[in-house]
Amino acid sequence: SDATMAALATAGKLANLTNAQVLALPASTIDSVPATVIDNLTDAEVAGLSDAQLAALTPAQIVAMESAGNLDNLTAAQISKLAPLTIAALSDATMAALATAGKLANLTPAQVAALPASTIDSVPTTVLATLTDAQVASLTTAQLAALTDAQMAAMATAGNLDSLTPAQVAALPASTIDSVPTTVLATLTDAQVASLTTAQLAALTDAQMAAMATAGNLDSLTPAQVAALPASTIDSVPATVIDNL
């Protein structure tokens, strides 16, 4: 039983399990296999694990297998079966390599949500584009800030950035803030717009600045912020703000 296997693991009595024994374990007990044992599996043996066994692997086990280099034969479909916290334990280098190999194409929303900021930039744009507004809005500010320009642009095209919060917008770097929908920026208050950095404001598009001007939320721009604006967007600054220069 699971309880018996867990007790044996705690007592250190599973340290000599053979690969054949590990492969024969059901999903309900494979999580008790010591990391030092499971990392002995070959690439082919890891790839031969069932979906249920893969889903039951723990973060410690996947890290051990990552270190042993025996994850190379897993397919995109198999990787999508890993538990969210398990795939979140993989390193930036491993996630980048998996992305390059096209093996992150089937990531689930739950897996994406669990990824740390250090690896979320490896998620394919095609995966991020399938997230709902609510799923994107539930990402942390650190996760959103770590997304690449291509990833944010893909989500903007998919129309799933419509529920971003002011805090999330404020956390975005200048390189991706131009993907924020005009309808989101129009909901910011004067104070929230005024708290944006000069780099963020300078990166906004003409359409974004025009939308904020129409919404009347540019009235608290500082002289430094106005001075940082490019020629293409400075025409959106209210006359009352210009008068204060």
Side-chain angles (χ1 to χ4, degrees):
S1 69
D2 191 18
T4 298
M5 285 290 286
L8 290 172
T10 301
K13 295 182 178 180
L14 299 181
N16 293 328
L17 287 180
T18 66
N19 289 6
Q21 288 175 315
V22 172
L23 295 173
L25 293 174
S28 59
T29 61
I30 199 170
D31 60 343
S32 291
V33 177
T36 52
V37 171
I38 208 160
D39 65 5
N40 291 326
L41 297 181
T42 66
D43 284 12
E45 288 171 332
V46 171
L49 294 174
S50 69
D51 288 350
Q53 287 174 314
L54 288 168
L57 294 176
T58 67
Q61 289 173 323
I62 204 73
V63 168
M65 290 193 288
E66 174 188 31
S67 297
N70 57 13
L71 300 177
D72 295 340
N73 288 348
L74 288 179
T75 65
Q78 289 175 310
I79 288 171
S80 73
K81 305 303 179 183
L82 296 175
L85 291 179
T86 297
I87 195 168
L90 293 175
S91 70
D92 191 18
T94 295
M95 287 291 285
L98 290 172
T100 299
K103 295 184 177 181
L104 299 182
N106 294 340
L107 290 182
T108 66
Q111 287 176 318
V112 173
L115 295 176
S118 59
T119 63
I120 200 168
D121 61 344
S122 290
V123 178
T125 56
T126 51
V127 171
L128 291 170
T130 66
L131 300 182
T132 64
D133 283 14
Q135 288 166 339
V136 172
S138 70
L139 296 176
T140 67
T141 54
Q143 287 173 312
L144 283 165
L147 294 174
T148 67
D149 194 19
Q151 288 174 317
M152 285 290 288
M155 290 194 292
T157 299
N160 59 11
L161 296 180
D162 295 337
S163 296
L164 289 181
T165 66
Q168 289 174 317
V169 173
L172 296 176
S175 59
T176 63
I177 201 170
D178 60 345
S179 290
V180 178
T182 56
T183 51
V184 171
L185 291 171
T187 65
L188 299 183
T189 65
D190 283 13
Q192 288 166 340
V193 172
S195 70
L196 296 176
T197 67
T198 54
Q200 287 173 313
L201 284 165
L204 294 174
T205 66
D206 193 19
Q208 287 174 317
M209 286 290 288
M212 290 194 293
T214 300
N217 58 11
L218 296 180
D219 295 336
S220 297
L221 290 181
T222 66
Q225 289 175 317
V226 173
L229 296 175
S232 59
T233 62
I234 200 169
D235 59 343
S236 291
V237 179
T240 52
V241 173
I242 294 289
D243 287 344
N244 292 327
L245 297 180

